[in-house]
Amino acid sequence: MSIALAPLIIFAASQVGTPGPANMALLATGARFGFRKALPFVAGVALGKQLIIWPIGFGLMELAETQPWLFIALKYISAAYIIWLAWKVANLRLNTATSDVGAPGFAAGLIVHPLNPKAWAMIVGSFTAFVGPETATLTATATIAAVLLGCQLILHPIWTLAGDRIAKTVAGTAVEPYLMWTLAGLTVASVLFVLFGGGT
């Protein structure tokens, strides 16, 4: 099995843990409705990513078997895009007032990731940067699905339960830029390790 598992986990954790449309929605939902009432929304957000992981996985891995050069090209294109996203994260500032979320619910959470460009880039990047083209489609897809879901089950509730408190504490302080640059740096480091450090 040719999967750079450790860098994949670091990448997934840094991506799932950084501010983005989904985490901002989770933060706002927890702040407005409380942790318990937000749980159906949290579950929907976590499971919603699975709706795009599997189709992307089977499509990309099948493509890698017939057009390996295209797989390699996608690897570098997605890496460049992820680094660009990391730059955006580094310059992002926490602000709960910018999230616009209705009443929480499972169905509302389920569609967050399918409509989230960051989620698509994260999933494509996971396949193209951390999985070798010779890896079995089912193995690659199941591994990425499990890693991302594991990170979500840990980090999404944290955003919902403590995100608002963290935002109120860090937003506008001298610590905030350093926090955002650290999160962005972890993302870039995981991608560069695979591209130039001998990873898959």
Side-chain angles (χ1 to χ4, degrees):
M1 179 175 69
S2 183
I3 299 177
L5 189 58
L8 171 62
I9 292 173
I10 294 172
F11 169 76
S14 66
Q15 285 290 289
V16 173
T18 52
N23 284 333
M24 289 297 98
L26 290 166
L27 183 147
T29 302
R32 296 176 186 178
F33 303 103
F35 180 72
R36 290 186 179 180
K37 291 184 178 180
L39 285 178
F41 182 75
V42 175
V45 172
L47 293 177
K49 186 168 285 182
Q50 300 293 315
L51 297 178
I52 50 179
I53 290 175
W54 291 88
I56 288 176
F58 275 82
L60 280 179
M61 298 312 293
E62 291 296 331
L63 185 63
E65 293 179 3
T66 58
Q67 303 290 339
W69 65 269
L70 187 56
F71 188 90
I72 294 173
L74 283 172
K75 175 177 178 176
Y76 284 93
I77 291 171
S78 63
Y81 185 61
I82 290 165
I83 290 173
W84 178 79
L85 285 177
W87 172 257
K88 298 283 285 184
V89 167
N91 292 280
L92 184 65
R93 296 298 171 260
L94 298 170
N95 184 358
T96 58
T98 60
S99 291
D100 184 14
V101 181
F106 181 79
L110 202 62
I111 63 172
V112 168
H113 281 308
L115 299 178
N116 181 4
K118 180 182 176 183
W120 285 84
M122 184 191 315
I123 294 166
V124 171
S126 296
F127 280 103
T128 58
F130 304 103
V131 178
E134 74 279 8
T135 306
T137 300
L138 180 59
T139 299
T141 307
T143 300
I144 289 174
V147 168
L148 288 174
L149 182 60
C151 290
Q152 289 178 279
L153 291 177
I154 295 171
L155 296 170
H156 283 348
I158 290 175
W159 270 98
T160 307
L161 181 63
D164 184 58
R165 184 179 306 170
I166 292 172
K168 289 178 180 178
T169 302
V170 175
T173 69
V175 176
E176 184 181 10
Y178 295 101
L179 172 64
M180 305 311 291
W181 276 97
T182 298
L183 295 173
L186 287 172
T187 301
V188 173
S190 67
V191 173
L192 293 180
F193 175 80
V194 171
L195 291 180
F196 306 110
T200 299

